Amino acid sequence: QAPIKATCEDTSCKTGFPEDVHSAVVSRSIHGGQPLLNVRFQSCDGNRKIYFGSSEPEDFRVGEDGVVYAERSFQLSAEPTEFVVSAQDKETQEEWQMRVKLTPEPPFTGASEKDQEKIEDIIFPWQQYKHSSSLKRQKRDWVIPPINLPENSRGPFPQELVRIRSDRDKSLSLRYSVTGPGADQPPTGIFIINPISGQLSVTKPLDREQIASFHLRAHAVDVNGNQVENPIDIVINVIDMNDNRPEFLHQVWNGTVPEGSKPGTYVMTVTAIDADDPNAQNGMLRYRILSQAPSSPSPNMFTINNETGDIITVAAGLDREKVQQYTLIIQATDMEGNPTYGLSNTATAVITVTDVNDNPPEFTAMTFYGEVPENRVDVIVANLTVTDKDQPHTPAWNAMYRMTGGDPTGRFTILTDPNSNDGLVTVLKPIDFETNRMFILTVAAENQVPLAKGIQHPPQSTATVSITVIDVNESPYFVPNPKLVRQEEGLLAGSMLTTFTAQDPDRYMQQTSLRYSKLSDPANWLKIDPVTGQITTTAVLDRESIYVQNNMYNATFLASDNGIPPMSGTGTLQIYLLDINDNAPQVNPKEATTCETLQPNAINITAVDPDIDPNAGPFAFELPDTPASIKRNWTIVRISGDHAQLSLRIRFLEAGIYDVPIVITDSGNPHASSTSVLKVKVCQCDINGDCTDVDRIVGAGLGTGAIIAILLCIIILLILVLMFVVWMKRRDKERQAKQLLIDPEDDVRDNILKYDEEGGGEEDQDYDLSQLQQPDTVEPDAIKPVGIRRLDERPIHAEPQYPVRSAAPHPGDIGDFINEGLKAADNDPTAPPYDSLLVFDYEGSGSTAGSLSSLNSSSSGGEQDYDYLNDWGPRFKKLADMYGGGDD
């Protein structure tokens, strides 16, 4: 751009704006606080105080120096923007106006050298001094229009932008400088100025997406650094270039639209952004649909608003049952969609067609059949199947069944299976075959939501259900149940009470008569005839029985038929027993205590009668005539209908226990009376009326219960002592058994004995040979006394299968016999471990060896015959030589 110069022309002075309309070309993008232009106002009188105003104060503001600023950020339209700037003298109220027309500058396409030379001159106003008739120009603060610089410029750099000059540079040597972000503040070094010529230059390409504008301040000083001019503001706007491609916020957009939607139905909005200036063509995006898949029923089912990105339907025929989803390729292009210069990008829009209830449910058959046994409830008698083309498991698919006829009493209901959507016809109330043998139901199927507008239910949405009732053998029932009978108590056994019969509801089955039996009779008073149902008594009916509650006796009877399967029913017979005077009153309590003196000596008694009115109280109390001592010592007075008072008639009665008979008579018709004996304990009393010799009286009158308790305690104590003595004797026997080496009755010949000690050599050879005698008869272990078994014997278990030695074994078999016994001992679970002393039991009878008690000394060996040792084989040859060799 060419340098901007300030010039002035000599004309006659006229206060006001120099022109009625001022036109200016500014950037399309306006930023808040941005200076736009400088309005020129000429004041011939330097003392005037001029104030500027704007007709659009919300958009534009005029400063005191005539600079027009933008109040807010906005985008200029393609048409010129007009507003009025006014100037008013506050003293004279004189006002001047000028119309300002702002035209947005065209997109930057590069400027020729000829255009760069066309620089607008800024003419500063002239002011007339008071003391001079000549006109001289007074310099105000510098204001220059914004400098527009395209981004991504290729240079060459540094590139000259503007020349800053002052009129005083003709008389003074000036130095120019700039300050602000981009010059001496970060980012530094982008803008430089020639201090001599004032040439402002840029040193490298600019990026509008990083910094959209720079605000610099120019300074002019003399060589001494003194300020010559007031600093001026320089605004450098970076002109946007189309260097950024549109980007969608999402690569895949998902939307839904109901099937059957009318054209113009909103579906979704896709949005793309461009890093370029959104208020310039570089950032103005336009949308369009490149493709649609599938293309049925029309290849253009949707359209998109090219500015907002709203996708709407443009064709009818959306049917989810045919096409469930559409895929659109959306393209966004900047430069207002210019296909030649604009940059573009694409995204995918997936539109799902949602289901509406445009398909009614239809039955698969016009008639359904089912059957149900009578008296059954909560059973499914028929399955109703339907088809629905709508999306499964949605309100438009879920079926609801409604009975429109055939069930006036509400015996059936239809539930919906949530998985199969079938209708389950269920019995809600019992059905009697004898009353209804068949039901014809009319059923309609509907969805949970109404059908779409314009769609009607077809005839297939209604079906008929035929239900057959199956006759089954039903239980007999008593009539009435329960049955109430009023009867006086005391009815004798064998008397006919009533007839209690049942009825069989099965009128269409071939069955014999019912059979009756007794199910519950707590007192066993009744019996029933199995054929006629006549009930007779087997005992006397007693109202006072414990089985009678509130005068009512209940018995239960059973009626059974012979159907298949047999059925039975129960009935309850309630007998209301009327009271008769069959019980005499008794005295209560049975025992009492009084003092031996006359005062105080009253005893309160009560008459108790199991009967009820009028066979109970009021009662009459009296003392019998015999024995005579009763009336002589005692007197009785009735104090109420059920209570009387017994007291001493004489002044003193010796302490002791006295039986006082009392005659009590009830009010029944006829009367019933009884003589009850009251056991009275007479004792010595203190001044408070309390007995002082209770121990003596109680001892004298010890009751039967106390005596029995004492005897039981004595018996238990004797048993404990006896058990202790038996235990002590058994313990003594066990101690004695421990001292024995072996059971005297055991035959220990040819056996190995276990001793308490393993042996000490020659000192252990003094044995008692009397313990080695052979008994004549051997008793089994089972009959041995329990207390004398040795503690070192093995426990009693099942005997192992040891080999039995023959009566006359061959000498060569002895080795085999020993080996077999060793194997049996190894496998014996009752044998002790190998490192302990083994205990061998008696081998059994049948040994041919003589008693060891015959062994005396070697001197007696000559009396024995040992020739048989030669027959035992080579193993016993040495022994045979020693004893069988004769005198040698």
Side-chain angles (χ1 to χ4, degrees), residues 1 327 438 443 465 504 609 649:
Q1 296 182 5
T327 301
M438 179 174 289
V443 180
V465 183
D504 194 339
D609 195 333
R649 180 185 293 273

Side-chain angles (χ1 to χ4, degrees), residues 211-418:
I211 301 178
S213 63
F214 295 88
H215 295 265
L216 305 178
R217 175 160 289 190
H219 305 269
V221 297
D222 58 15
V223 293
N224 296 322
N226 298 320
Q227 180 175 329
V228 177
E229 300 283 359
N230 291 331
I232 61 172
D233 292 328
I234 301 176
V235 177
I236 302 175
N237 294 327
V238 183
I239 303 303
D240 183 41
M241 303 296 290
N242 192 17
D243 58 344
N244 289 280
R245 189 178 299 274
E247 297 290 342
F248 283 91
L249 297 181
H250 305 285
Q251 194 60 35
V252 178
W253 298 78
N254 294 293
T256 59
V257 60
E259 63 176 332
S261 297
K262 296 180 179 180
T265 303
Y266 171 79
V267 179
M268 60 189 300
T269 299
V270 296
T271 304
I273 58 174
D274 196 319
D276 293 327
D277 187 359
N279 299 317
Q281 289 184 343
N282 299 333
M284 293 182 180
L285 306 183
R286 296 296 183 264
Y287 302 92
R288 71 189 185 100
I289 298 176
L290 296 181
S291 65
Q292 168 192 311
S295 59
S296 62
S298 171
N300 298 315
M301 295 296 295
F302 305 92
T303 186
I304 186 170
N305 187 307
N306 62 349
E307 292 186 1
T308 62
D310 294 340
I311 300 177
I312 60 176
T313 60
V314 293
L318 291 174
D319 189 352
R320 190 204 66 86
E321 287 71 37
K322 295 181 180 179
V323 179
Q324 298 183 0
Q325 191 176 83
Y326 289 91
T327 301
L328 307 180
I329 303 300
I330 309 298
Q331 183 186 61
T333 307
D334 57 15
M335 294 297 292
E336 295 184 317
N338 190 315
T340 302
Y341 302 104
L343 302 177
S344 62
N345 210 339
T346 60
T348 302
V350 178
I351 301 175
T352 302
V353 182
T354 58
D355 188 35
V356 298
N357 194 13
D358 57 346
N359 294 281
E362 298 180 1
F363 286 99
T364 59
M366 298 303 296
T367 304
F368 296 88
Y369 299 92
E371 59 183 19
V372 58
E374 63 175 331
N375 299 322
R376 295 284 300 276
V377 294
D378 296 331
V379 294
I380 299 174
V381 298
N383 276 26
L384 311 181
T385 56
V386 296
T387 59
D388 196 320
K389 297 179 181 179
D390 292 321
Q391 185 175 357
H393 305 291
T394 61
W397 179 82
N398 296 334
M400 298 187 304
Y401 299 89
R402 177 173 53 89
M403 283 183 290
T404 59
D407 185 24
T409 58
R411 297 184 181 274
F412 299 92
T413 185
I414 303 179
L415 306 176
T416 303
D417 189 324

Side-chain angles (χ1 to χ4, degrees), residues 649-823:
R649 180 185 293 273
I650 58 179
R651 293 179 177 273
F652 176 80
L653 183 63
E654 185 180 356
I657 298 176
Y658 298 87
D659 292 333
V660 180
I662 301 175
V663 180
I664 305 176
T665 305
D666 60 21
S667 300
N669 187 15
H671 300 295
S673 63
S674 66
T675 301
S676 300
V677 177
L678 177 64
K679 185 178 293 295
V680 180
K681 298 178 181 179
V682 180
C683 61
Q684 296 179 0
C685 298
D686 54 14
I687 58 176
N688 297 323
D690 299 328
C691 289
T692 57
D693 55 350
V694 176
D695 296 338
R696 179 172 59 85
I697 297 177
V698 171
L702 193 62
T704 304
I707 296 175
I708 294 175
I710 293 174
L711 292 177
L712 288 176
C713 293
I714 295 174
I715 292 173
I716 292 173
L717 183 61
L718 292 176
I719 291 174
L720 293 176
V721 172
L722 181 61
M723 292 176 62
F724 180 75
V725 171
V726 171
W727 178 76
M728 290 297 294
K729 289 184 177 180
R730 183 175 180 180
R731 185 177 179 184
D732 293 341
K733 290 182 179 180
E734 291 178 354
R735 290 181 178 177
Q736 294 176 2
K738 289 182 180 180
Q739 299 175 359
L740 296 178
L741 178 63
I742 193 171
D743 192 340
E745 297 180 358
D746 286 348
D747 185 4
V748 297
R749 183 182 59 182
D750 295 341
N751 287 275
I752 299 176
L753 301 181
K754 177 184 181 304
Y755 296 87
D756 291 339
E757 296 180 359
E758 293 184 3
E762 296 298 331
E763 298 177 359
D764 262 357
Q765 299 304 319
D766 189 10
Y767 301 119
D768 183 7
L769 297 181
S770 62
Q771 301 293 329
L772 302 178
Q773 294 178 356
Q774 160 107 20
D776 294 337
T777 61
V778 179
E779 295 181 1
D781 292 340
I783 62 174
K784 290 169 56 178
V786 177
I788 61 175
R789 179 174 293 276
R790 300 197 315 271
L791 295 181
D792 58 350
E793 291 182 10
R794 66 181 179 183
I796 298 176
H797 293 283
E799 292 292 333
Q801 299 297 324
Y802 286 94
V804 180
R805 183 179 177 186
S806 60
H810 189 275
D813 296 334
I814 295 179
D816 296 334
F817 174 79
I818 295 175
N819 291 330
E820 292 177 1
L822 178 61
K823 293 180 180 179

